[in-house]
Each structure stands twice: as structure tokens, then as C-alpha cells.
Amino acid sequence: MREALWAELLKVRRSRLPWITALAFTIAALVCGMFMFILANPARARAFGLLGGKAQLSGATADWPGYLALLAQAAAVGGLGVYGLIAIWLFGREFSDHTATDLLALPTSRTAIVTAKFAIAAIWALLLAFLLAGSAC
């Protein structure tokens, strides 16, 4: 299990996908913050045009509970795509790199390999949640 986990960590470390997913979650926090900025002053909403209209249609209020609810909604909708992309990358990469057959010949069990992939996905999701919470406040 330790070897499979180490191999998966090396793949993640050498990839650009962790930075892309972190950027996506940071942008989500910034957009929610901008919506709160727009909602705090209705005159500003008219000045922003279509973006101000979208902020008003979000149904959020310009306070902390409204901001956190909007952030949770953005994380739920956007996170579904991001977490799905992470899972697709972790498991589908073996087929695109043509290393899936090589995994069958390793002395590490298949169960350990799949468990390591799921562990990396869980750690990655947890780090993204901490990043979102940190960039939100």
C-alpha cells in the first residue's frame, strides 16, 4: 500500500491539475465575494449591468450567512465538476498513458492501487475544501 500511495503522490506532484483545481476553487471564492460586494449596494448592481443582475438573482443577502450559503452552493455545483475531473484523471490516466496493463504486472495488489487512488482523491478534496474556506475568509 505504501508503494502505491507513493507512486500516486508522485503522479499528482508532477501534474498541473492540482494547480488548476486550486485556481478554480479560488476563483469561485472571489466570484462569491464580488457578488457580495455588488449586493451590498443596489446602485452598484445597476452599474455592473448583467453581472449585477446575476448577483441579485442569486437570492443571497449581503451578510455572512448569505455569503457562506452562496459559497456552499458554488462549491456544490462547481465542486461536482472539479471532483469528477480529479477522479477521472486519477483513474483514467492509466489508460491514456497506456500503463493500465503494467499495473497488472506489479507486485502491489490491485486493491492497494485502487485504495491509494481513492486516498489521494480524498486528501485532494479535503485540501481543496480547506483552500476554499481559507480564501473565503
Side-chain angles (χ1 to χ4, degrees):
M1 175 69 185
R2 190 177 67 233
E3 292 82 11
L5 197 58
W6 180 253
E8 291 301 319
L9 279 172
L10 279 176
K11 290 178 195 176
V12 169
R13 191 184 66 149
R14 292 181 179 167
S15 175
R16 281 181 269 160
L17 193 62
W19 297 107
I20 294 169
T21 57
L23 179 67
F25 269 63
T26 305
I27 289 173
L30 290 174
V31 168
C32 289
M34 185 176 60
F35 274 18
M36 290 297 117
F37 180 73
I38 292 170
L39 289 173
N41 187 354
R44 237 182 276 152
R46 286 188 294 279
F48 275 97
L50 186 60
L51 190 60
K54 287 185 182 221
Q56 288 179 338
L57 285 175
S58 68
T61 57
D63 55 358
W64 277 104
Y67 175 62
L68 294 176
L70 186 64
L71 199 62
Q73 186 179 14
V77 174
L80 181 66
V82 171
Y83 295 139
L85 181 69
I86 290 169
I88 289 169
W89 182 80
L90 282 172
F91 287 95
R93 179 181 172 134
E94 307 301 338
F95 294 99
S96 66
D97 291 346
H98 304 291
T99 58
T101 54
D102 297 339
L103 286 177
L104 302 176
L106 291 176
T108 307
S109 71
R110 294 178 191 169
T111 307
I113 293 170
V114 171
T115 305
K117 287 182 182 292
F118 276 126
I120 293 297
I123 292 168
W124 196 339
L126 190 63
L127 288 174
L128 284 176
F130 285 142
L131 173 74
L132 184 65
S135 62
C137 296

